[in-house]
Amino acid sequence: MANNNRMLIKGNYAIAEAAIDAGCRFYAGYPITPQNEIPEYMSKRMPEVNGVFMQAESELISINLVFGAAVAGARAMTTSSSPGISLMQEGISYMAGCELPGVIVNVMRGGPGLGNISPSQSDYFQAVKPGHGDYRLIVLAPHNTQEMYDFTFEAFDLADKYRNPVMVLTDGLLGQIMESIELKRKKPELLNQKKEWALTGAKGRKGQRIVSLLMDPGALEKHNFHLQEKYDLIRKQEKRYEKFNITDDTEYLIVAFGTVARVSKGTIKLDKDKRIGLFRPITLFPFPYEELKEVAKNVKKIFVFEMNLGQMLDDVKIAIENSEKIEFYGRPGGGVPTSEELLNFILKRI
Amino acid sequence: MTEKIIIAGSGGQGVLTLGVFIARVGFYEGKKVAWLPTYGAEKRGGFSFCYTVISDDEIFSPVVETPSTLFAFDQRAYDTYKIKIGKETQVIINSSLIKDFDRNNKNIFKVPATELAKDIGFIQGMNIVMFGVYFELKKIFKKESIYEVMKEMLKGKKEEIFSKNKMAFEKGIGYSNNK
């Protein structure tokens, strides 16, 4: 439903539409709640834009199809929810090793195991400290439908810019919620940048290859140092965060991402004394350690809120050396806190 | 203005559809809206609910703790959500299917919505009868917006479906005025 440039849209559809707008023309996926609207939408939209929609026979295949499309130079995406992302870990590591761009969306649900289908943030570790090998993903965490669109759109440029897989880490609530967004359809910056490294057939040029198996003595070590340099550059250039209601008078600081960050904004609005602020990491890798440290310097207490039992908490502790100031409250297994609940916790602890 | 709505009933009664409808009316009138459904394992006859929030300001939490309006379509829905009823909550119950409720609560408005919908030969319109009551009690939307959004949502369907929905809506308005 559109009204000028405003559009009323479900989070999952916003992700799918953003991918199309970003020039993604290859999508592979396998059904799993709560992200099923994405493959559903893609199955209809991809043929309309001369793209490829593949329903894979499992998530293992989805990620390897994306690998194949990416190695040939295409903008490619897969989406899934927590257990499905676990199945993709091997392929994601191969993509990182081969330096292949691609977008992976995780609409998180409760775990461990098959868990349930309620919203969760329990895959934070898996996203920022991912599978085997010394690699990193760029991880973007939207907190409303507008950002589901914006971040998915930008993820494709980031992936191409660094030749690295990018993960959009979101959850069932943000996937299912329908909100109005402002559609600023723009051109993806790097869409037409030529990918010299892509395997497009060696006609008229020397053959090239892309592998993640590096058996020559020292080759893999060298490759890892090269990857590390890239991650350092990402750390330097791509950190993103939001400061909400942070002033010189802020006494208490909430640190939260995604759904819990928006719920925390409600908490701040409920607080009559206006002394609570929010620091919201937007990129979970690279994590804005220094910026958080700076903001936390003068506050009395830091409240870390998550829909898990303390994962981002580790990164907050890395940022803030005085961890006695830190209080944690989490809801695991599909529990979603309310603004009132978080305020009550704060009031009890101050 | 912030209106926090919970709609609860059973799969097939139009719980989610009414939520989407109200969200679209809010959107049509330029308000901020958020709609959050139950999802996944729902089926006809299973428990179903959704949250719809309409506001002039940014909506932070789409999860409704204490609703400003609660729609209960059947007894199970009322029983499940009665704990969420606050002092200010406007409760609208489908009294065709809810017999056991707090008769001391003056904010409970009973409407025999299933029967009224049957009267016009459109039992599917029960949710819209309920909405008609809500429209009249709360008076936050314009009538034109209702018809415009109805038209949009029913695009491609028979003209008859639109007029039936309109009748159901007016039936709800009429009932609340005669109470």
Side-chain angles (χ1 to χ4, degrees):
Chain A
M1 183 183 180
N3 197 345
N4 301 323
N5 286 329
R6 286 174 71 229
M7 193 178 200
L8 191 59
I9 190 169
K10 245 181 152 178
N12 282 335
Y13 293 135
I15 284 177
E17 190 56 25
I20 301 279
D21 283 350
C24 171
R25 291 296 178 268
F26 185 94
Y27 174 88
Y30 183 82
I32 183 169
T33 304
Q35 62 86 54
N36 282 326
E37 290 84 359
I38 306 175
E40 175 224 341
Y41 190 88
M42 285 302 201
S43 68
K44 209 166 51 200
R45 274 294 269 146
M46 272 299 180
E48 286 172 9
V49 294
N50 294 321
V52 177
F53 168 82
M54 293 280 286
Q55 174 162 339
E57 56 267 53
S58 81
E59 290 85 348
L60 294 171
I61 310 301
S62 304
I63 192 68
N64 282 294
L65 287 166
V66 167
F67 182 109
V71 91
R75 285 201 155 181
M77 176 168 88
T78 185
T79 62
S80 190
S81 178
S82 309
I85 299 291
S86 292
L87 285 168
M88 292 182 188
Q89 285 301 321
E90 181 197 39
I92 297 173
S93 175
Y94 279 44
M95 285 180 74
C98 291
E99 294 192 83
L100 295 180
V103 175
I104 301 138
V105 178
N106 182 359
V107 184
M108 290 183 281
R109 58 187 250 179
L114 212 44
N116 62 20
I117 57 173
S118 299
S120 176
Q121 296 182 327
S122 49
D123 305 346
Y124 179 92
F125 282 152
Q126 194 188 46
V128 303
K129 298 159 174 51
H132 75 278
D134 211 349
Y135 78 92
R136 296 292 195 162
L137 301 172
I138 298 171
V139 183
L140 301 168
H143 86 318
N144 57 28
T145 310
Q146 181 73 54
E147 289 182 348
M148 294 285 259
Y149 178 89
D150 292 345
F151 293 178
T152 304
F153 183 91
E154 289 159 22
F156 285 91
D157 270 348
L158 281 171
D160 279 351
K161 183 173 173 188
Y162 295 101
R163 278 188 64 183
N164 206 69
V166 176
M167 179 173 278
V168 177
L169 189 69
T170 180
D171 66 57
L173 188 146
L174 290 165
Q176 292 298 323
I177 196 173
M178 186 170 76
E179 293 184 299
S180 59
I181 65 171
E182 201 76 43
L183 264 192
K184 294 160 275 186
R185 298 208 198 256
K186 45 186 182 181
K187 281 243 173 303
E189 273 173 41
L190 304 179
L191 181 59
N192 297 321
Q193 175 190 266
K194 197 155 169 28
K195 296 176 177 173
E196 302 286 353
W197 49 266
L199 305 186
T200 51
K203 212 170 182 183
R205 65 163 166 82
K206 252 179 89 183
Q208 54 198 29
R209 46 184 221 138
I210 293 178
V211 292
S212 72
L213 178 71
L214 297 168
M215 294 288 277
D216 291 342
L220 187 57
E221 191 171 359
K222 196 175 149 207
H223 182 57
N224 269 281
F225 278 121
H226 158 71
L227 291 178
Q228 204 56 46
E229 266 173 38
K230 180 170 82 175
Y231 304 146
D232 282 342
L233 190 65
I234 293 170
R235 285 186 181 99
K236 210 186 308 170
Q237 296 184 335
E238 303 300 340
K239 257 186 254 174
R240 290 195 217 173
Y241 53 90
E242 182 197 358
K243 291 195 250 180
F244 182 83
N245 204 44
I246 291 176
T247 64
D248 292 342
D249 300 326
T250 304
E251 291 177 45
Y252 304 104
L253 184 70
I254 299 175
V255 187
F257 73 96
T259 288
V260 185
R262 69 182 286 162
V263 172
S264 298
K265 287 183 176 178
T267 301
I268 289 165
K269 290 281 169 201
L270 286 173
D271 168 43
K272 291 189 182 70
D273 299 325
K274 306 282 163 240
R275 60 209 157 149
I276 309 173
L278 168 74
F279 184 88
R280 173 170 76 99
I282 290 172
T283 48
L284 303 180
F285 179 85
F287 192 86
Y289 294 108
E290 295 79 10
E291 294 77 4
L292 171 56
K293 187 180 176 183
E294 183 59 31
V295 169
K297 221 165 48 185
N298 298 319
V299 302
K300 288 184 187 157
K301 269 206 158 120
I302 296 139
F303 291 89
V304 182
F305 295 144
E306 296 181 73
M307 294 194 308
N308 60 51
L309 289 180
Q311 299 192 14
M312 182 184 67
L313 177 63
D314 284 5
D315 283 318
V316 175
K317 283 180 176 168
I318 290 172
I320 298 155
E321 285 126 26
N322 178 5
S323 63
E324 277 166 18
K325 275 170 60 168
I326 299 173
E327 298 271 358
F328 176 78
Y329 180 76
R331 293 279 306 268
V336 181
T338 62
S339 301
E340 292 85 353
E341 183 180 345
L342 297 180
L343 183 63
N344 285 339
F345 180 82
I346 293 174
L347 294 176
K348 263 187 226 155
R349 297 296 171 104
I350 58 178
Chain B
M1 188 280 297
T2 298
E3 177 68 355
K4 298 178 176 181
I5 304 166
I6 296 179
I7 306 168
S10 297
Q13 285 185 316
V15 170
L16 304 186
T17 310
L18 179 57
V20 170
F21 178 67
I22 297 174
R24 287 178 70 155
V25 172
F27 176 75
Y28 184 85
E29 294 196 352
K31 303 230 177 348
K32 299 261 196 263
V33 304
W35 171 80
L36 182 66
T38 44
Y39 55 83
E42 277 62 45
K43 58 179 191 291
R44 180 173 294 210
F47 184 58
S48 172
F49 71 92
C50 67
Y51 304 125
T52 300
V53 184
I54 315 275
S55 182
D56 295 321
D57 306 312
E58 195 179 336
I59 298 163
F60 297 124
S61 180
V63 177
V64 176
E65 188 61 9
T66 308
S68 42
T69 301
L70 168 68
F71 286 90
F73 284 3
D74 58 19
Q75 190 70 50
R76 177 176 51 181
Y78 177 82
D79 292 344
T80 308
Y81 274 106
K82 63 184 175 196
I83 52 159
K84 299 255 184 194
I85 297 173
K87 275 188 200 134
E88 312 278 310
T89 306
Q90 174 67 59
V91 186
I92 303 172
I93 64 169
N94 175 10
S95 58
S96 306
L97 299 174
I98 301 174
K99 303 297 176 198
D100 183 15
F101 60 92
D102 179 4
R103 287 176 195 271
N104 296 322
N105 185 342
K106 291 198 176 65
N107 292 331
I108 295 183
F109 190 98
K110 336 181 262 301
V111 50
T114 306
E115 283 150 47
L116 292 176
K118 262 189 207 161
D119 287 350
I120 56 167
F122 186 54
I123 192 168
Q124 304 96 307
M126 180 273 283
N127 58 348
I128 301 299
V129 174
M130 301 275 288
F131 177 73
V133 170
Y134 169 82
F135 174 86
E136 198 59 15
L137 289 179
K138 287 271 177 166
K139 293 194 173 17
I140 54 173
F141 296 127
K142 296 188 201 79
K143 227 177 210 175
E144 309 90 83
S145 327
I146 308 299
Y147 296 134
E148 278 307 311
V149 173
M150 244 181 217
K151 253 183 237 160
E152 269 180 27
M153 278 181 79
L154 296 169
K155 209 186 276 169
K157 301 224 163 104
K158 283 187 199 135
E159 175 61 30
E160 193 199 341
I161 306 283
F162 174 73
S163 57
K164 289 270 185 194
N165 273 289
K166 206 173 153 198
M167 273 164 77
F169 174 58
E170 280 155 8
K171 198 94 184 166
I173 294 179
Y175 187 83
S176 60
N177 283 333
N178 293 330
K179 269 288 253 207

